[in-house]
Amino acid sequence: MALKTYPFEPDLAVNPKTKRMDFMYRPYIQIRLQYKKAITSNFIRALVDSGSDYNIFPSSFAKEIGIDYRKGIPHKASSGIGGISIYTYGAIASINTGIKTFDTVIFFADEVRVPILGRHGFFNFFKNIEFNTKGKKMLIKY
């Protein structure tokens, strides 16, 4: 069983206490997407989000690997921020973490800006995913 540690990466965000811009550390992982023989030209910085049910990516990644995402499975997704609903379209693609590659459903939408890896379609492919907020790291057991 392989265990890999991923350090949290800084993002600029509004600090709720000071109401000023500050760094917030989040669990990102570098991945690649593949569809048939096409693979993303660069690594994708994706947020590992235990609060997300599904994988949701910007539509630009679908276009890059040749997925006509609007012909995919339509799904109305609710955003955790403000409860905004957007329409997404699901397609099967491969995710490559550098250690493991697997086929999964990814929902794509024009409105999405940050690639998100969720519980169904990412977390379920691993033995365990653990967040250590104080240590600013994530541990994935393969």
Side-chain angles (χ1 to χ4, degrees), residues 24-70:
M24 176 182 285
Y25 289 84
R26 295 185 171 137
Y28 285 97
I29 184 173
Q30 299 289 325
I31 64 158
R32 285 204 164 162
L33 293 184
Q34 185 172 347
Y35 178 71
K36 297 183 180 176
K37 294 189 182 209
I39 189 165
T40 51
S41 56
N42 295 306
F43 284 96
I44 298 167
R45 182 178 183 244
L47 178 65
V48 179
D49 186 356
S50 63
S52 178
D53 290 332
Y54 304 104
N55 303 319
I56 303 176
F57 279 58
S59 59
S60 59
F61 293 113
K63 294 171 190 170
E64 182 180 347
I65 58 175
I67 295 175
D68 187 355
Y69 71 99
R70 291 209 185 259

Side-chain angles (χ1 to χ4, degrees), residues 34-36 65 67 73 90-94 102-106 108:
Q34 185 172 347
Y35 178 71
K36 297 183 180 176
I65 58 175
I67 295 175
I73 306 160
I92 302 287
S94 296
F102 51 90
D103 292 341
T104 189
V105 174
I106 301 172
F108 296 97

Side-chain angles (χ1 to χ4, degrees), residues 4-134:
K4 180 144 169 93
T5 301
Y6 298 89
F8 282 11
E9 295 182 20
D11 265 345
L12 276 176
V14 176
N15 183 319
K17 291 181 183 176
T18 65
K19 307 286 188 229
R20 293 184 178 173
M21 294 301 287
D22 200 354
F23 285 109
M24 176 182 285
Y25 289 84
R26 295 185 171 137
Y28 285 97
I29 184 173
Q30 299 289 325
I31 64 158
R32 285 204 164 162
L33 293 184
Q34 185 172 347
Y35 178 71
K36 297 183 180 176
K37 294 189 182 209
I39 189 165
T40 51
S41 56
N42 295 306
F43 284 96
I44 298 167
R45 182 178 183 244
L47 178 65
V48 179
D49 186 356
S50 63
S52 178
D53 290 332
Y54 304 104
N55 303 319
I56 303 176
F57 279 58
S59 59
S60 59
F61 293 113
K63 294 171 190 170
E64 182 180 347
I65 58 175
I67 295 175
D68 187 355
Y69 71 99
R70 291 209 185 259
K71 290 184 178 176
I73 306 160
H75 177 73
K76 188 175 180 181
S78 295
S79 170
I81 302 168
I84 299 166
S85 292
I86 59 172
Y87 284 94
T88 62
Y89 301 86
I92 302 287
S94 296
I95 291 178
N96 181 333
T97 68
I99 295 175
K100 184 175 190 166
T101 301
F102 51 90
D103 292 341
T104 189
V105 174
I106 301 172
F107 290 93
F108 296 97
D110 294 333
E111 298 85 357
V112 174
R113 298 289 170 249
V114 176
I116 295 173
L117 299 168
R119 291 182 296 115
H120 303 288
F122 186 77
F123 281 64
N124 57 303
F125 284 95
F126 302 95
K127 294 186 189 309
N128 188 44
I129 297 179
E130 178 182 318
F131 299 106
N132 179 336
T133 305
K134 286 190 179 186

